[in-house]
Amino acid sequence: MDEEVLVYHDRFKQSSLLAATMIFLAGCGYILFREDTHILAKIFVTVLGILLLIQGLTTIKAMAAHDLCFKFDEHGVTDYTKKRNVLFLSWDEIVKIEMVSNNTSLQIGILAGKTIEDAAVMNDAIKENMTSNGNLIYYNVIIDGFGYRKKKFAQIFHDCIALAKKYNPKIYIQEYQDPFTKQKS
């Protein structure tokens, strides 16, 4: 394993999404240009087609950009998913790394706490919240498994916890255990 793990969007998942979008878009076009289609159905299919076209263009744009999403290295975890607000969490600030299940997929949650560094820029609500939380701000980085194939997602989790164990063995790590099969993912 390298000392630096770079996480990009899964190209296979993006390509599959684009292919499915194009198939549905072709179906909308077929229904739209049939002469025996009712006018209300044509309106509905037109709206659906516009939404599918927007989805397809968004996917193509994301595939072309090939932006870095997350980076794990000897310094910590960097979240690049919000372009204007890149978040860096050092291994010392990270409290817990866990894999949890939401309604549709697994997620990797990275929880970290930071102390106040510049109280002048914080508003009163944040100051009050931090006072009740022992002068800490909690950060949560979520990596959603919906955008990755199962094997790649598991590799991201294992690379992250391997670096976490190496640079801060005090981090609490919780793997996901399927409640039905009792197997860990």
Side-chain angles (χ1 to χ4, degrees), residues 2-54:
D2 294 333
E3 285 295 307
E4 180 177 76
V5 178
L6 303 176
V7 179
Y8 294 92
H9 291 286
D10 190 344
R11 291 280 199 181
F12 182 78
K13 279 279 213 169
Q14 287 178 321
S15 300
S16 300
L17 175 63
L18 185 59
T21 301
M22 292 302 129
I23 290 170
F24 281 110
L25 195 55
C28 286
Y30 174 75
I31 293 170
L32 185 63
F33 293 112
R34 287 182 49 112
E35 289 184 18
D36 61 341
T37 305
H38 192 272
I39 187 69
L40 290 177
K42 284 187 178 193
I43 292 170
F44 176 75
V45 167
T46 301
V47 172
L48 183 62
I50 291 170
L51 293 175
L52 286 169
L53 187 61
I54 292 169

Side-chain angles (χ1 to χ4, degrees), residues 2-167:
D2 294 333
E3 285 295 307
E4 180 177 76
V5 178
L6 303 176
V7 179
Y8 294 92
H9 291 286
D10 190 344
R11 291 280 199 181
F12 182 78
K13 279 279 213 169
Q14 287 178 321
S15 300
S16 300
L17 175 63
L18 185 59
T21 301
M22 292 302 129
I23 290 170
F24 281 110
L25 195 55
C28 286
Y30 174 75
I31 293 170
L32 185 63
F33 293 112
R34 287 182 49 112
E35 289 184 18
D36 61 341
T37 305
H38 192 272
I39 187 69
L40 290 177
K42 284 187 178 193
I43 292 170
F44 176 75
V45 167
T46 301
V47 172
L48 183 62
I50 291 170
L51 293 175
L52 286 169
L53 187 61
I54 292 169
Q55 171 64 37
L57 293 174
T58 304
T59 304
I60 290 170
K61 182 180 174 185
M63 288 177 74
H66 195 58
D67 291 333
L68 179 63
C69 299
F70 302 96
K71 180 173 84 169
F72 310 120
D73 60 15
E74 66 272 4
H75 304 293
V77 176
T78 309
D79 179 358
Y80 295 101
T81 56
K82 297 175 186 78
K83 302 295 179 223
R84 294 184 179 163
N85 190 15
V86 174
L87 176 64
F88 171 75
L89 302 171
S90 72
W91 291 118
D92 292 332
E93 296 167 333
I94 295 174
V95 177
K96 176 167 77 168
I97 300 172
E98 63 182 341
M99 187 182 292
V100 295
S101 174
N102 70 7
N103 292 337
T104 58
S105 64
L106 293 176
Q107 292 180 332
I108 298 170
I110 301 170
L111 179 69
K114 285 188 170 189
T115 57
I116 292 180
E117 292 178 7
D118 189 0
V121 298
M122 292 181 228
N123 64 26
D124 293 332
I126 293 176
K127 288 179 187 177
E128 183 179 325
N129 188 357
M130 289 178 53
T131 303
S132 64
N133 286 330
N135 207 27
L136 290 173
I137 299 175
Y138 288 97
Y139 293 90
N140 196 10
V141 174
I142 300 291
I143 303 172
D144 194 357
F146 187 74
Y148 301 94
R149 288 170 283 166
K150 187 176 181 177
K151 186 175 181 180
K152 182 172 178 148
F153 186 71
Q155 186 63 45
I156 292 168
F157 181 70
H158 290 295
D159 288 347
C160 180
I161 63 173
L163 286 170
K165 286 178 182 178
K166 182 176 182 179
Y167 293 108

